Amino acid sequence: MKLLILNGPNINMLGKRERAIYGESSYEDLCEYIRVNGQNLSINVDILQSNIEGELVTYIQDAYDKYDGIIINPAAYTHYSIAIYDALKAVDIPTVEVHISNIYAREEYRRKSVVAPACIGQISGFGIYSYVMGMMALINKAK
């Protein structure tokens, strides 16, 4: 199984920004954690991050016919990116939306995801373990 892991804006600032919400792990720690857990689950992972919506859309489009699944943390784009939603619908690759924090326990505007309806599911609030849960969900979906 080959998965694309996409991270949106400010995820590259993990370990520096709002540690009480996002934890102490750096972005590099997150990537290593994903790689190790992917390896343990016999999954090949490619990890990309961008602060630019159009780049994320291009990454999704480029995933067509190359990946068995996508795990996306759209970050702030979760709440308003119809472009990301449309890209996910266009490629029709099983996708899991993940969030490090529990978006439903935060500000009201963070509780709505316009991306989630293009996904097979959403995982929120389990820290960086949310990514592992996403991998396991995609393995289960492929069975």
Side-chain angles (χ1 to χ4, degrees):
M1 176 172 264
K2 186 171 183 180
L3 300 181
L4 176 61
I5 314 294
L6 289 179
N7 290 296
N10 297 308
I11 302 299
N12 59 311
M13 297 298 290
L14 288 177
K16 299 174 184 147
R17 66 182 284 229
E18 300 177 278
R19 292 179 183 160
I21 294 172
Y22 299 105
E24 300 290 323
S25 297
S26 69
Y27 183 67
E28 294 75 21
D29 294 338
L30 170 65
C31 292
E32 182 61 18
Y33 180 77
I34 291 169
R35 283 187 196 96
V36 166
N37 280 279
Q39 203 169 37
N40 291 342
L41 294 167
S42 300
I43 297 173
N44 294 318
V45 296
D46 290 330
I47 306 168
L48 298 171
Q49 187 275 332
S50 181
N51 295 318
I52 301 168
E53 182 180 29
E55 286 183 359
L56 293 168
V57 168
T58 298
Y59 295 154
I60 293 165
Q61 291 174 354
D62 288 347
Y64 186 75
D65 277 343
K66 295 179 188 165
Y67 292 93
D68 302 305
I70 297 172
I71 294 172
I72 187 167
N73 182 340
Y77 293 133
T78 300
H79 318 295
Y80 63 89
S81 182
I82 302 304
I84 290 174
Y85 166 89
D86 285 346
L88 290 170
K89 293 295 277 184
V91 298
D92 196 29
I93 299 169
T95 300
V96 175
E97 179 183 324
V98 301
H99 297 282
I100 293 169
S101 69
N102 179 354
I103 63 173
Y104 300 99
R106 298 188 61 198
E107 301 91 342
E108 183 67 35
Y109 69 89
R110 293 189 193 273
R111 297 176 190 167
K112 170 76 172 149
S113 171
V114 299
V115 175
C119 300
I120 62 169
Q122 181 193 71
I123 299 166
S124 165
F126 293 95
I128 63 175
Y129 185 63
S130 294
Y131 291 84
V132 176
M133 294 171 76
M135 287 188 264
M136 293 184 330
L138 286 167
I139 289 169
N140 187 60
K141 177 73 175 170
K143 289 183 180 179

